[in-house]
Amino acid sequence: MVALAALFWYFLLDGLVKGAIERYGSEAVGAKVELSRVNVTLLPLGVRLEGLSIADPAEPMKNLIEVGSAEFRMDPMRALMKKAIIDHMSVEGMRFATARRTTGALPIKEEPKPEEPKPEDKGSSFELPALDLPDLRDAISEDDLETVRLARRLERQMDTVQQNFRTAMANLPTGGEADAYKARMKAIEAGIRSGGPERIRAAIDDAEAMKAELGGKAGALRAASEGMKADLASLRRDMKSLDKMPSKDLQWLSDKYSLSPEGLRNMSRMLFGSTVDGYVGKVAGYYRTAAPMIERMRAAKAEDRKPVRGKGVDVSFREREPLPSLLIRKISASATIESGVLKGTVTDVASDQAVLGRPTVFSFGADNMKDMDGLSIEGTIDHRKPRAAIDKITLKATGSRIGGMRLSKDFPVSLGSGLADTEINATLKGGRIEAAVAITVREAEFGPDGELRPGSMQEALANALADIKGFTINATATGTLTDYDMKLTSDIDEILKAALNRMVSQKKAEIERELRARIDELTNAQVAGVRSRMGQLEGMATGVAESAEGLASVDAQIDKARTDAEAELKRQAEQKLKGKVDEKKDQLENQLKDKFKKLF
Amino acid sequence: MLKLLAKFLRILNSETDPVQISIAFCLGMVAGLTPLMSVHNLVVLLLVLVLRANLTSFIAATLLFSGVAYVFDPVLHRIGMAVLGSASLKGLFTGMYNMPIMRVARFNNTIVMGSVLTTAVLVIPAFFIFTALINVYRARVIEWVKKSRLAQMIAASKFYKLYETVSTLRGN
């Protein structure tokens, strides 16, 4: 029996363990887990794995991680109790995203998982407002201009006023009529001065007849004059608006051709958004890959599981020293990345953190790497309370050497060289991520990446960037791992905005001159015509007013003549009466004298 | 399988002590009704060797009762669940749970507990029943078979005579 056991141990156990790791590991990851070699030792109880590769379920021709060797010892007594308690594990030669020779996809597909929504591409495409205008002769016509429309409206109003004038003037007496009226007036005045009562009365009647004839005309003329005054007042107001209209047309056209710098907000978002989003997306992607494995490590409770035929269910009791079924107290690891070797530790990796009572803590660092001065990655994975799980990570990279980084696919400017200090703090809580990224770039050298058209906005931007030697970028991301909202600001915004504003202002002045010239070209004739007619109408209105006054003075004359005639009539009547009275008085006196004489 | 059955029948028909056969059968019942890869089955195997129980009978019984166990698995699970969930035994089981050797024995598995308890209860009565059955078989069934027409026809055939000759030469 002992010999059998020894033979079993020597020949079969390693293979069985290798097979078990590959099978259960592949199920857990969802892609192939392969081992080159396994060595299981009895005293002490330990395992050494060599050539471990875990394929990426999302990219089967790549490995998620490759491990050169991993070695650990287990507590044998705990192992008998189905607990893998490892005090220390050393992992060396880790590499990420290495290419595979064969596919890492599992041969039997599981039920197709609902496709996770891919995170939206948060990087904006780079769009700058164009500074080139189309040919203004073709682009702007009379009908586009409010000035022209107002001028035409004024002309129509003036036509109406002119028509009113003509109607008014038709009421005026003609030259011959005016002479006749003058002669009649003279006759009336003569009759009043030197005529007897009958002649005076006749003169009065004639005056009243003339007044009646002229009165209607005068009223009409007066009304027409008032109307013309009102119309002219309205026209004068509209003329004032006409004076301002070309400026309004200019403003409208300026806005139409997008010369406002409003569109240049948040330049840094356009320049750096896709790059920063790429980093955030990558980290989110790694977490999304690891999250299902973290969840699967948690053991289900016995009473929640249905008994498998022939297997039964393991009932758990209280342990004196509660420990999770898998606990690695400390992992010392080294990983090879592009820039160098990262070394660090991970503590308290457990299948059930709630039982252990401590979160998993990791800390990695590297100095004097190829492309950067230093790198540190620290964080905690705290799932002690599954519904309130909090995962945190802090990444600091100092002195990262940047070279030849094109900022945006739509904008041909590259950050040729520079040194970046990056700090990323991210927290994942309740499925929501909150991340803050701060990047400080120094010794920056921007340069064009291709041909830039002289005088273009791109050239202005490239020139402004060329003066920048250092800048900072601050970004925040909030939301879920597949749908997060990223806000990005940079002190480069103000610099670029100032440069572009200068360019836009220059160009704007130039364009305004062109627009002004075109507007003047289209409106000057119209406006001049309107002004000229306005002058004429003012003259006409003055004439009408004078005619109305003239008729009014004639009316007054007639009234005076009538008054004089009535006064003369009265005088003559009084005189005649006085004469009769005197005569009668004399008669009576004589009669009295005769009677007195008879008496005496 | 047929070879095993033939061997078993030969043993039944032989002069082997019925107690030996019965012990082997009882131990086979324990091994068959309980999960095979359990620690207590090492003890069973040891008993088979120490008590010199008939190996063929043991194997045959193990196979037979494995089939029976598959049918009665749900019952055994329920028995195990009831015992392991018993409040009065919780203290005992908690103590056992914290012993590595008991964890290796998987006492806290419902099938293991249910089947071990069931076989522990059945093993003594089973021993007597099996012994009695073997004696009855030898006393009556063999005679009845020998007297049957079919048996007589086979016994009279040349093939059977040849078989007896070969069997004698081989020392059975």
Side-chain angles (χ1 to χ4, degrees):
Chain A
M1 287 283 286
V2 170
L4 269 171
L7 281 169
F8 168 78
W9 189 274
Y10 190 77
F11 288 109
L12 297 175
L13 185 60
D14 292 351
L16 287 171
V17 169
K18 178 173 178 289
I21 292 172
E22 286 177 343
R23 188 173 73 188
Y24 294 113
S26 299
E27 275 177 26
V29 172
K32 278 188 186 169
V33 172
E34 288 162 331
L35 270 169
S36 301
R37 196 164 166 261
V38 171
N39 185 25
V40 180
T41 55
L42 180 60
L43 296 166
L45 181 63
V47 177
R48 181 178 169 83
L49 310 174
E50 288 176 9
L52 171 68
S53 64
I54 301 174
D56 188 342
E59 288 182 80
M61 290 308 292
K62 271 190 179 173
N63 286 319
L64 200 60
I65 186 170
E66 257 192 82
V67 176
S69 67
E71 192 168 358
F72 58 89
R73 289 182 190 160
M74 284 169 58
D75 184 340
M77 299 311 285
R78 299 280 187 198
L80 288 174
M81 295 169 75
K82 291 188 181 179
K83 289 191 190 282
I85 307 298
I86 299 166
D87 284 328
H88 181 253
M89 176 189 279
S90 68
V91 178
E92 286 176 17
M94 277 200 297
R95 290 184 302 161
F96 304 97
T98 52
R100 290 177 60 91
R101 274 190 239 122
T102 57
T103 177
L106 292 175
I108 299 166
K109 281 231 171 214
E110 292 173 1
E111 279 179 28
K113 288 174 191 165
E115 207 172 289
E116 262 186 21
K118 284 193 180 154
E120 292 171 31
D121 181 7
K122 302 290 179 189
S124 311
S125 63
F126 197 87
E127 285 179 20
L128 282 171
L131 289 179
D132 296 327
L133 287 178
D135 187 353
L136 294 176
R137 287 187 181 280
D138 297 328
I140 304 170
S141 67
E142 280 187 356
D143 294 334
D144 296 325
L145 300 175
E146 190 60 32
T147 308
V148 170
R149 285 197 286 273
L150 180 59
R152 285 177 184 158
R153 199 161 64 243
L154 285 173
E155 280 187 0
R156 285 194 292 276
Q157 286 173 6
M158 285 174 183
D159 288 342
T160 307
V161 171
Q162 203 156 4
Q163 184 59 39
N164 291 343
F165 169 76
R166 287 198 192 99
T167 307
M169 294 311 282
N171 284 322
L172 276 178
T174 60
E177 285 176 352
D179 292 338
Y181 282 122
K182 279 182 189 167
R184 273 172 77 178
M185 195 66 217
K186 277 186 182 165
I188 289 167
E189 283 172 349
I192 292 168
R193 271 198 309 273
S194 56
E198 290 79 19
R199 211 173 152 195
I200 289 172
R201 281 192 198 91
I204 289 174
D205 290 340
D206 197 20
E208 282 180 356
M210 202 164 88
K211 187 178 168 81
E213 284 169 24
L214 289 174
K217 289 184 196 293
L221 205 58
R222 207 177 306 118
S225 175
E226 293 302 316
M228 279 188 78
K229 274 187 195 165
D231 288 341
L232 283 174
S234 167
L235 281 171
R236 274 187 221 103
R237 279 195 299 274
D238 288 342
M239 285 297 295
K240 280 184 187 165
S241 297
L242 186 67
D243 291 335
K244 293 177 191 168
M245 212 44 75
S247 299
K248 283 190 182 170
D249 279 333
L250 179 64
Q251 181 62 47
W252 172 72
L253 285 168
S254 296
D255 292 344
K256 183 178 175 184
Y257 290 105
S258 301
L259 293 176
S260 162
E262 282 300 304
L264 302 174
R265 268 188 304 213
N266 208 355
M267 292 292 300
S268 51
R269 179 76 163 93
M270 287 194 278
L271 287 172
F272 302 112
S274 55
T275 305
V276 174
D277 182 62
Y279 292 141
V280 176
K282 221 176 211 177
V283 170
Y286 284 136
Y287 187 87
R288 282 200 309 277
T289 307
M293 290 184 253
I294 297 171
E295 288 302 310
R296 276 190 211 121
M297 282 174 73
R298 285 204 256 129
K301 289 182 186 159
E303 47 268 31
D304 294 339
R305 285 183 278 134
K306 283 186 183 169
V308 178
R309 194 84 189 239
K311 301 277 184 202
V313 165
D314 288 342
V315 176
S316 302
F317 295 90
R318 193 175 57 84
E319 294 175 342
R320 277 192 211 107
E321 269 184 70
L323 287 171
S325 55
L326 167 67
L327 170 62
I328 307 172
R329 294 192 200 277
K330 184 177 177 183
I331 302 174
S332 300
S334 69
T336 305
I337 56 177
E338 277 177 33
S339 307
V341 177
L342 210 59
K343 288 185 181 177
T345 57
V346 184
T347 55
D348 295 326
V349 176
S351 57
D352 194 340
Q353 286 186 352
V355 172
L356 181 66
R358 293 192 298 273
T360 302
V361 177
F362 57 90
S363 173
F364 287 86
D367 298 320
N368 298 321
M369 302 178 83
K370 195 169 71 179
D371 295 329
M372 62 179 82
D373 294 336
L375 174 67
S376 75
I377 304 171
E378 294 174 351
T380 56
I381 299 172
D382 189 347
H383 288 221
R384 285 175 290 177
K385 291 177 187 169
R387 284 173 202 240
I390 305 176
D391 300 334
K392 292 181 185 173
I393 184 167
T394 299
L395 183 147
K396 289 179 188 168
T398 53
S400 307
R401 286 172 262 292
I402 305 167
M405 184 173 91
R406 181 145 175 168
L407 299 176
S408 168
K409 59 179 172 61
D410 300 314
F411 183 56
V413 169
S414 294
L415 181 57
S417 65
L419 292 171
D421 298 328
T422 306
E423 182 166 339
I424 301 174
N425 288 291
T427 302
L428 184 71
K429 188 175 174 181
R432 292 190 62 81
I433 186 169
E434 284 181 18
V437 180
I439 304 174
T440 303
V441 178
R442 44 197 165 89
E443 297 175 31
E445 293 286 342
F446 285 99
D449 189 18
E451 287 296 316
L452 295 172
R453 196 164 50 80
S456 66
M457 193 78 84
Q458 281 84 348
E459 192 200 35
L461 194 60
N463 291 338
L465 284 171
D467 294 334
I468 295 172
K469 297 300 170 195
F471 60 95
T472 58
I473 300 170
N474 290 294
T476 56
T478 50
T480 61
L481 284 173
T482 52
D483 186 19
Y484 50 86
D485 184 36
M486 190 169 75
K487 291 189 173 74
L488 195 152
T489 58
S490 171
D491 57 0
I492 216 174
D493 269 338
E494 293 307 315
I495 298 166
L496 293 174
K497 226 192 284 186
L500 289 167
N501 276 343
R502 277 196 299 275
M503 174 112 194
V504 166
S505 298
Q506 270 174 9
K507 203 72 182 177
K508 191 174 177 178
E510 197 181 300
I511 289 167
E512 278 186 6
R513 278 197 296 276
E514 281 189 40
L515 286 172
R516 170 67 77 174
R518 179 67 180 151
I519 290 168
D520 288 345
E521 191 185 338
L522 291 171
T523 61
N524 276 351
Q526 297 266 7
V527 172
V530 166
R531 286 194 205 287
S532 164
R533 279 191 73 181
M534 187 69 187
Q536 287 171 8
L537 285 175
E538 296 273 11
M540 286 176 194
T542 306
V544 168
E546 284 173 359
S547 298
E549 276 177 27
L551 278 179
S553 72
V554 167
D555 202 48
Q557 222 175 337
I558 293 171
D559 286 338
K560 185 173 179 301
R562 193 176 154 182
T563 308
D564 290 343
E566 284 173 355
E568 181 65 22
L569 268 177
K570 189 177 174 187
R571 191 189 64 77
Q572 284 184 5
E574 281 175 355
Q575 203 170 24
K576 191 175 178 182
L577 185 67
K578 189 178 175 200
K580 281 190 177 172
V581 165
D582 286 340
E583 193 184 325
K584 197 74 184 175
K585 191 176 166 188
D586 286 340
Q587 261 183 7
L588 283 173
E589 271 181 12
N590 290 333
Q591 280 179 2
L592 274 170
K593 275 180 184 174
D594 286 340
K595 278 189 178 172
F596 275 123
K597 277 180 184 176
K598 282 178 184 178
L599 284 173
F600 299 104
Chain B
M1 194 69 167
L2 281 177
K3 209 173 169 185
L4 180 67
L5 186 61
K7 267 186 165 177
F8 178 62
L9 282 172
R10 196 179 301 121
I11 288 162
L12 273 184
N13 298 339
S14 67
E15 301 297 324
T16 309
D17 187 357
V19 169
Q20 292 295 323
I21 300 171
S22 186
I23 288 171
F25 229 70
C26 287
L27 292 171
M29 182 187 74
V30 173
L33 283 178
T34 61
L36 198 62
M37 305 301 287
S38 299
V39 169
H40 64 268
N41 282 333
L42 288 173
V43 175
V44 167
L45 193 61
L46 185 65
L47 284 173
V48 167
L49 297 170
V50 163
L51 296 175
R52 301 181 71 181
N54 188 270
L55 207 56
T56 306
S57 306
F58 169 74
I59 293 167
T62 303
L63 289 171
L64 172 69
F65 285 102
S66 292
V68 171
Y70 185 80
V71 173
F72 286 96
D73 254 347
V75 177
L76 296 172
H77 163 73
R78 268 189 234 127
I79 293 169
M81 199 68 173
V83 170
L84 288 168
S86 162
S88 54
L89 296 170
K90 191 174 176 183
L92 171 66
F93 289 145
T94 302
M96 288 167 67
Y97 192 74
N98 286 283
M99 293 181 199
I101 189 66
M102 296 312 291
R103 292 288 292 275
V104 172
R106 294 179 64 208
F107 83 97
N108 62 319
N109 182 271
T110 51
I111 296 273
V112 169
M113 177 59 76
S115 56
V116 164
L117 282 178
T118 305
T119 52
V121 166
L122 293 177
V123 72
I124 305 291
F127 170 75
F128 292 109
I129 292 168
F130 292 148
T131 310
L133 282 174
I134 292 164
N135 288 329
V136 164
Y137 172 79
R138 284 179 177 173
R140 298 194 186 162
V141 173
I142 290 175
E143 285 304 317
W144 177 81
V145 168
K146 275 183 183 171
K147 287 178 184 169
S148 70
R149 280 182 182 245
L150 180 66
Q152 283 172 355
M153 275 170 62
I154 293 168
S157 70
K158 285 182 185 171
F159 179 75
Y160 184 73
K161 285 187 170 62
L162 181 64
Y163 163 74
E164 271 193 329
T165 311
V166 169
S167 195
T168 310
L169 285 172
R170 284 177 75 180
N172 287 340

